[in-house]
Coordinates of all heavy atoms in Angstrom, one line a residue:
W147 N 28.8 82.7 137.1 CA 29.9 83.4 136.6 C 31.1 82.5 137.1 O 32.1 82.4 136.4 CB 30.0 84.7 137.3 CG 31.2 85.5 136.8 CD1 31.3 86.2 135.6 CD2 32.4 85.8 137.5 NE1 32.4 86.9 135.5 CE2 33.1 86.7 136.6 CE3 32.9 85.5 138.7 CZ2 34.4 87.1 137.0 CZ3 34.2 86.0 139.1 CH2 34.9 86.7 138.2
Q148 N 31.1 81.8 138.2 CA 32.1 80.9 138.6 C 32.4 79.7 137.7 O 33.5 79.3 137.4 CB 31.8 80.3 140.0 CG 32.9 79.5 140.6 CD 32.5 78.8 142.0 OE1 32.0 79.5 142.7 NE2 32.8 77.6 142.1
Q149 N 31.2 79.2 137.1 CA 31.4 78.2 136.1 C 32.2 78.7 134.9 O 33.0 77.9 134.4 CB 30.0 77.7 135.6 CG 29.2 76.9 136.7 CD 27.8 76.7 136.3 OE1 27.4 76.9 135.2 NE2 27.1 76.1 137.2
L150 N 32.1 80.0 134.6 CA 32.9 80.6 133.5 C 34.3 80.5 133.8 O 35.3 80.0 133.1 CB 32.5 81.9 133.1 CG 33.4 82.7 132.2 CD1 33.2 82.1 130.7 CD2 32.9 84.2 132.1
I151 N 34.7 81.0 135.1 CA 36.1 81.1 135.6 C 36.7 79.7 135.6 O 37.9 79.5 135.2 CB 36.1 81.7 136.9 CG1 35.5 83.1 136.9 CG2 37.4 81.6 137.5 CD1 36.2 84.1 135.9
E152 N 35.9 78.7 136.1 CA 36.4 77.3 136.1 C 36.7 76.8 134.7 O 37.7 76.1 134.4 CB 35.5 76.5 136.9 CG 35.3 76.8 138.4 CD 34.3 75.9 139.1 OE1 33.4 75.4 138.3 OE2 34.3 76.0 140.3
A153 N 35.9 77.0 133.7 CA 36.0 76.6 132.3 C 37.1 77.2 131.8 O 38.1 76.6 131.1 CB 34.8 76.9 131.4
V154 N 37.5 78.6 131.9 CA 38.7 79.2 131.5 C 40.0 78.6 132.2 O 41.0 78.4 131.5 CB 38.6 80.8 131.7 CG1 39.9 81.4 131.2 CG2 37.4 81.3 130.9
A155 N 39.9 78.4 133.4 CA 41.0 77.8 134.1 C 41.4 76.5 133.6 O 42.6 76.1 133.3 CB 40.7 77.6 135.7
E156 N 40.4 75.7 133.4 CA 40.6 74.3 132.6 C 41.3 74.5 131.3 O 42.2 73.8 131.0 CB 39.3 73.5 132.6 CG 39.4 72.2 132.0 CD 40.3 71.2 132.7 OE1 40.4 71.4 134.1 OE2 40.9 70.3 132.1
Q157 N 40.7 75.3 130.6 CA 41.3 75.5 129.1 C 42.8 76.0 129.1 O 43.5 75.6 128.3 CB 40.4 76.6 128.3 CG 39.1 76.0 127.8 CD 38.5 77.1 126.9 OE1 38.9 78.2 126.8 NE2 37.5 76.6 126.3
C158 N 43.0 76.8 130.1 CA 44.4 77.5 130.2 C 45.3 76.7 131.1 O 46.4 77.1 131.3 CB 44.3 78.9 130.6 SG 43.3 79.9 129.5
R159 N 44.8 75.6 131.7 CA 45.6 74.7 132.6 C 46.3 75.5 133.7 O 47.3 75.2 134.2 CB 46.8 74.1 131.7 CG 46.3 73.1 130.7 CD 45.6 72.0 131.3 NE 45.3 70.8 130.4 CZ 44.2 70.7 129.7 NH1 43.3 71.6 129.8 NH2 44.1 69.7 128.8
T160 N 45.5 76.3 134.4 CA 46.0 77.0 135.5 C 44.9 76.9 136.6 O 43.8 76.3 136.4 CB 46.3 78.5 135.2 OG1 46.9 79.2 136.4 CG2 44.9 79.3 134.9
S161 N 45.0 77.5 137.8 CA 44.2 77.4 138.9 C 43.1 78.3 138.8 O 43.0 79.3 138.1 CB 44.9 77.7 140.2 OG 45.3 79.1 140.3
V162 N 42.0 77.9 139.5 CA 40.7 78.7 139.5 C 41.1 80.1 140.2 O 40.6 81.2 139.8 CB 39.5 78.1 140.2 CG1 38.3 78.9 140.4 CG2 39.2 76.7 139.4
F163 N 41.9 80.1 141.2 CA 42.1 81.3 141.9 C 43.0 82.3 141.1 O 42.7 83.5 141.1 CB 42.9 81.0 143.3 CG 42.0 80.3 144.3 CD1 42.5 79.2 145.0 CD2 40.7 80.7 144.5 CE1 41.7 78.6 146.0 CE2 39.9 80.0 145.5 CZ 40.4 79.1 146.2
R164 N 43.9 81.7 140.4 CA 44.7 82.6 139.5 C 43.8 83.2 138.5 O 43.9 84.5 138.1 CB 45.9 81.9 138.8 CG 46.7 82.6 138.0 CD 47.8 81.8 137.2 NE 48.9 81.4 138.1 CZ 50.0 82.2 138.2 NH1 50.1 83.2 137.4 NH2 51.0 81.8 138.8
T165 N 42.9 82.4 137.8 CA 41.9 82.9 136.9 C 41.0 84.0 137.4 O 40.7 85.0 136.8 CB 41.2 81.7 136.3 OG1 42.0 80.8 135.9 CG2 40.3 82.3 135.0
L166 N 40.6 83.7 138.6 CA 39.7 84.6 139.4 C 40.3 85.9 139.6 O 39.8 87.1 139.4 CB 39.2 84.0 140.8 CG 38.4 85.0 141.6 CD1 36.9 85.0 141.0 CD2 38.2 84.3 143.0
K167 N 41.6 85.9 140.0 CA 42.4 87.1 140.3 C 42.6 88.0 138.9 O 42.4 89.2 139.0 CB 43.8 86.8 140.8 CG 44.6 87.9 141.1 CD 44.2 88.7 142.3 CE 45.2 89.9 142.6 NZ 44.7 90.7 143.7
T168 N 42.7 87.3 137.9 CA 42.7 88.0 136.5 C 41.4 88.6 136.2 O 41.4 89.7 135.7 CB 43.2 87.0 135.5 OG1 44.5 86.6 135.7 CG2 43.3 87.6 134.1
A169 N 40.3 87.9 136.5 CA 39.0 88.3 136.0 C 38.5 89.6 136.8 O 37.9 90.4 136.2 CB 38.0 87.2 136.1
L170 N 38.7 89.5 138.1 CA 38.2 90.5 139.0 C 39.0 91.9 138.7 O 40.1 91.8 138.3 CB 38.3 90.1 140.5 CG 37.3 89.1 140.9 CD1 37.7 88.6 142.3 CD2 35.9 89.5 140.8
P171 N 38.3 93.0 139.0 CA 39.0 94.2 138.9 C 40.2 94.4 139.8 O 40.1 94.0 140.9 CB 38.0 95.3 139.1 CG 36.9 94.7 139.9 CD 36.9 93.3 139.6
P172 N 41.3 95.1 139.3 CA 42.5 95.2 140.0 C 42.1 96.0 141.4 O 41.4 96.9 141.4 CB 43.4 96.0 139.3 CG 42.9 95.9 137.9 CD 41.4 95.6 137.9
G173 N 42.7 95.5 142.5 CA 42.4 96.2 143.7 C 41.3 95.7 144.5 O 41.0 96.2 145.7
W174 N 40.6 94.8 143.9 CA 39.3 94.3 144.7 C 39.7 93.2 145.6 O 39.1 93.1 146.7 CB 38.2 93.8 143.7 CG 36.9 94.3 144.2 CD1 36.6 94.9 145.4 CD2 35.7 94.0 143.7 NE1 35.2 95.1 145.5 CE2 34.6 94.4 144.6 CE3 35.2 93.3 142.5 CZ2 33.3 94.3 144.2 CZ3 33.9 93.2 142.3 CH2 32.9 93.7 143.1
L175 N 40.6 92.3 145.2 CA 41.1 91.3 146.1 C 42.5 91.6 146.5 O 43.2 92.2 145.8 CB 41.0 89.9 145.3 CG 39.9 89.0 145.3 CD1 40.0 87.8 144.6 CD2 39.4 88.7 146.8
G176 N 42.8 91.2 147.6 CA 44.3 91.3 148.1 C 44.3 92.3 149.3 O 43.3 92.7 149.9
Q177 N 45.5 92.8 149.5 CA 45.7 93.8 150.7 C 45.0 95.0 150.4 O 45.1 95.6 149.3 CB 47.3 93.9 150.8 CG 47.6 94.7 152.0 CD 49.1 94.8 152.4 OE1 49.8 93.8 152.1 NE2 49.6 95.8 153.0
R178 N 44.4 95.4 151.5 CA 43.6 96.6 151.3 C 44.3 97.9 151.6 O 45.0 98.0 152.7 CB 42.4 96.6 152.3 CG 41.5 97.8 152.4 CD 40.5 97.6 151.3 NE 39.4 98.5 151.3 CZ 38.7 98.9 150.4 NH1 39.0 98.6 149.1 NH2 37.7 99.7 150.5
K179 N 44.5 98.7 150.7 CA 45.2 99.9 150.8 C 44.4 101.0 151.6 O 43.2 101.1 151.6 CB 45.5 100.6 149.5 CG 46.4 99.7 148.6 CD 46.6 100.4 147.2 CE 47.5 99.4 146.3 NZ 47.7 99.9 145.0
A180 N 45.2 101.8 152.4 CA 44.6 102.8 153.2 C 44.0 103.9 152.3 O 44.6 104.2 151.3 CB 45.5 103.5 154.2
G181 N 42.9 104.5 152.6 CA 42.3 105.5 151.7 C 40.8 105.6 152.0 O 40.2 104.8 152.7
R182 N 40.2 106.6 151.2 CA 38.8 106.9 151.4 C 38.1 105.6 150.9 O 38.4 105.2 149.8 CB 38.4 108.1 150.9 CG 38.9 109.4 151.6 CD 38.1 110.6 151.2 NE 38.7 110.9 149.8 CZ 39.7 111.8 149.6 NH1 40.2 112.5 150.4 NH2 40.0 112.1 148.3
S183 N 36.9 105.4 151.5 CA 35.9 104.3 150.7 C 35.3 105.0 149.6 O 35.3 106.3 149.5 CB 35.0 103.8 151.9 OG 34.1 104.9 152.3
L184 N 34.6 104.2 148.9 CA 33.9 104.8 147.7 C 32.8 105.7 148.1 O 32.5 106.7 147.5 CB 33.2 103.6 147.0 CG 32.5 103.9 145.6 CD1 33.7 104.4 144.7 CD2 31.8 102.8 145.0
G185 N 32.3 105.5 149.4 CA 31.2 106.4 149.8 C 31.6 107.8 150.1 O 30.9 108.7 150.0
S186 N 33.0 107.9 150.4 CA 33.4 109.3 150.8 C 34.3 109.9 149.6 O 35.0 110.8 149.8 CB 34.4 109.2 152.0 OG 35.4 108.4 151.7
R187 N 34.1 109.2 148.4 CA 34.9 109.7 147.2 C 34.5 111.2 146.7 O 33.3 111.6 146.9 CB 34.4 108.8 146.0 CG 35.2 109.1 144.7 CD 34.8 108.1 143.8 NE 35.1 108.5 142.4 CZ 34.7 107.8 141.3 NH1 34.0 106.8 141.4 NH2 34.9 108.2 140.1
R188 N 35.5 112.0 146.5 CA 35.2 113.3 146.0 C 35.7 113.6 144.6 O 36.7 112.9 144.3 CB 35.9 114.3 147.2 CG 35.3 114.0 148.6 CD 36.1 115.0 149.5 NE 35.7 116.4 149.4 CZ 34.5 116.9 149.8 NH1 33.7 116.1 150.6 NH2 34.2 118.2 149.7
Q189 N 35.3 114.5 144.1 CA 35.7 115.0 142.7 C 35.8 116.4 142.6 O 35.2 117.2 143.4 CB 34.9 114.4 141.7 CG 35.5 113.3 140.8 CD 34.5 112.8 139.8 OE1 34.0 111.7 140.1 NE2 34.4 113.4 138.7
L190 N 36.7 116.9 141.7 CA 36.9 118.4 141.6 C 35.7 118.9 140.6 O 35.4 118.4 139.6 CB 38.3 118.7 140.9 CG 39.5 118.3 141.8 CD1 40.8 118.5 141.1 CD2 39.4 119.1 143.1
W191 N 35.3 120.2 141.0 CA 34.1 120.9 140.3 C 34.6 122.2 139.9 O 35.3 123.0 140.5 CB 33.1 120.9 141.5 CG 31.8 121.7 141.0 CD1 31.5 123.0 141.0 CD2 30.7 121.0 140.5 NE1 30.3 123.2 140.4 CE2 29.7 122.0 140.1 CE3 30.4 119.7 140.1 CZ2 28.5 121.8 139.6 CZ3 29.1 119.5 139.6 CH2 28.1 120.5 139.2
L192 N 34.4 122.5 138.6 CA 34.8 123.8 138.0 C 33.5 124.6 137.8 O 32.5 124.1 137.3 CB 35.4 123.5 136.6 CG 36.8 122.8 136.7 CD1 37.3 122.7 135.2 CD2 37.8 123.5 137.5
E193 N 33.7 126.0 137.9 CA 32.7 126.8 137.7 C 33.2 128.1 137.0 O 34.4 128.5 137.4 CB 32.0 127.3 139.1 CG 31.1 126.2 139.7 CD 30.3 126.7 140.8 OE1 29.2 127.4 140.7 OE2 30.8 126.5 142.0
L194 N 32.4 128.8 136.2 CA 32.8 130.0 135.7 C 32.9 131.1 136.9 O 31.9 131.0 137.7 CB 31.9 130.5 134.7 CG 32.0 129.8 133.2 CD1 30.8 130.2 132.4 CD2 33.4 130.0 132.6

């Protein structure tokens, strides 16, 4: 997968890190926001 990122970076004349940041999902790299982890994720449940 890294070879793909490097090829795109070369085609677009930009850095591998900038391309990587674009490719990865938002919020995965960078400053970590406070909040629950995925393991403690909750959802609303409806019942009649």
